[in-house]
Every structure is written in structure tokens, then in C-alpha cells.
Amino acid sequence: MERPRWAPSEVDIDTPSIARVYDYWIGGTHNFPVDRALASRVSDANPVLARTLRANRAFLRRAVRELSALGIRQFLDIGSGIPAEGNVHDVALAAHPDSTVVYVDIDPVAVAHGRAILADEPRAAVFQGDLHKPREILDAQDTRRLIDFDRPVALILAAVLHFVPDGDDPRALVEQYTDRLVPGSHLVISHAGAETVPRTAPEAAERYRGAVSEVIWRDTAELTALFAGHSLLAPGVVRAPAWRPEPGEQPDPELAMLAGVAVKAPAR
């Protein structure tokens, strides 16, 4: 097929990319027939997955709007995927044109597409980075250019910490990031899970696990623990569709994704 202008020349458009599959699932346009074919096969075996990911993205948009209204102007989104339409920078810049956004993802395909999308947007940047290497991300050139850590920042860890096993101490990993943030900063987390996760993962968990990399489900208490040192905004840690839904919106009860937003408390 003919390569569209938004597809970087170094990206293979004939081989499926999980980043573009994700983009398709959440309603994006930065994907190709080969990606949509893979998405269809996975969705046939995991019918709730695409709805779950769309609910996660909708939660993220609502969270960014809420934080923009609270005065946050800087956003650091780690594990961002392709920063296509309706992502953090669109929401934040629509609310306040002086906002800045840094996206980080480990997937080179997502980063390549992201750079093409953001080529004419000086208030946002994307670069390749590993969640497990906080210092490299926090000290990266694009981070230093767009994020002033002397002012409040929104740290976004949406649908990424469920890839961090308990043995890697996800709470300590989060704290390596939040230690750099000043009081008044906010932490946004969404995570595969349920209010209570039984010893044997429920069928929905098995379907989700079969579609992506190894996923660790966590319950409300476990996710709440990742917000240590922060005060949760109402309604606390809840299923993602139930976090400040739009007026008249009916949250889908099948979707197994927890979410919360919290503010960093002043040092005692």
C-alpha cells in the first residue's frame, strides 16, 4: 500500500505493530490493514479487551482535563504509546495553550510515529525510554527542555505498571519518579485489576493476559499502595469507567481496569 505522509520512512507498514494495534483499538487512525487484521483476531478471542483499552484512554482524557482545571500545566506520560488524536497534549493544550507534555515509550515504532505526529508541536515531545530507568527518563534532554521540576507536574502511568512484577517492587519504582516531584504534583495511574482479585485469575483476566505481554492483576488495596505519599482525589481508586464519568455516562461493569489520581502531599 502507499505510505501515508504521517508514517516515517523507517517504519515497516507491512508488519503488525502492537502500538498501532492499540491505536486502532482506542479509535485512532495511525494504523494499517495489517494492524487491523491482527486486532480483529485478538479481539475475537478477547472481546472485552478493546472496550477496556478505550475506557482506559477515556479515563486518561478526563484526568488530564481535571488536572488542567486544577492548574497543572506539565505532563509526563510514561508508557504513552502513539500520541495520536485525543491524547494528553490535545486535551492539555486545548485547556491551556502554555501546557507542555513529554511522552515516553519503550516501543521504537510508537516513538517513530509520535515524532512524526509532533514534528510541528514545540510544546510536546516523545522519546524512547524504559520505565525501569527513572533517572534516564527524568534527566533526558526532552524532559529537561519541557518539564520544570520546581513546579507541579502530572506524572502519568496509564496501563503500564501491570507489566511490572512484584519482584521488581513497583511501589519503589513509582517513588523513584515521585521523589523528584514537588508537592502539588499529581500521580495518575490505571492498572489491570479488580476490586478483589481471586487466587485464580478470573476469565476476564485470562483473556486480557492472553492478548498482551504478561500482565499482573492487582486489587484496589494493592493499587492504592502505589499512591503512597499522595492523597487520592475523589472517588479514590475505582474501576476506570467510574472515575468521574461524563454526565449521563453509564460505566461498563465488565471492564477490569482500576484507576486513580492523587496529589503529592507537602513534606512533614
Side-chain angles (χ1 to χ4, degrees), residues 18-19 22 25 49 53 56 78-81 105-107 130-132 157-171 173-174 189-193 205 208-218 223 226 257:
I18 191 60
Y22 184 94
W25 274 327
L49 179 58
L53 298 178
N56 176 68
I78 302 174
S80 60
D105 201 276
I106 198 169
D107 184 343
D130 185 344
L131 170 69
H132 293 83
L157 300 170
V160 67
L161 290 173
H162 51 227
F163 299 118
V164 180
D166 290 341
D168 288 352
D169 198 346
R171 178 170 169 174
L173 180 60
V174 172
I189 301 178
S190 59
H191 195 294
Y208 190 90
R209 183 177 294 114
V212 295
S213 303
E214 183 179 359
V215 169
I216 295 87
W217 267 44
R218 296 187 170 101
L223 184 53
L226 298 181
M257 180 73 73

Side-chain angles (χ1 to χ4, degrees), residues 29 31 36-37 40-41 54 70 74 89 114 129-130 134 141-142 152 177-178 181 184 191 202 218 224 227-228 240:
T29 59
N31 50 77
R36 297 191 283 273
S40 178
R41 292 196 299 272
R54 286 195 293 271
L70 291 174
Q74 304 182 106
H89 71 285
D130 185 344
Q141 181 178 353
D142 282 325
Y177 288 97
T178 59
L181 308 182
H191 195 294
R218 296 187 170 101
T224 299
F227 288 99

Side-chain angles (χ1 to χ4, degrees), residues 71-87:
I72 299 299
R73 300 291 182 269
Q74 304 182 106
F75 299 83
L76 176 58
D77 184 354
I78 302 174
S80 60
I82 297 173
E85 292 84 1
N87 211 319

Side-chain angles (χ1 to χ4, degrees), residues 184-246:
S185 295
H186 286 71
L187 175 60
V188 179
I189 301 178
S190 59
H191 195 294
E195 286 82 355
T196 302
V197 178
R199 288 180 183 272
T200 302
E203 182 182 355
E206 294 300 335
R207 290 201 301 266
Y208 190 90
R209 183 177 294 114
V212 295
S213 303
E214 183 179 359
V215 169
I216 295 87
W217 267 44
R218 296 187 170 101
D219 60 23
T220 301
E222 291 172 311
L223 184 53
T224 299
L226 298 181
F227 288 99
H230 293 67
S231 299
L232 282 160
L233 306 188
V237 172
V238 295
R239 290 185 306 106
W243 195 90
R244 302 191 182 186
E246 302 291 348

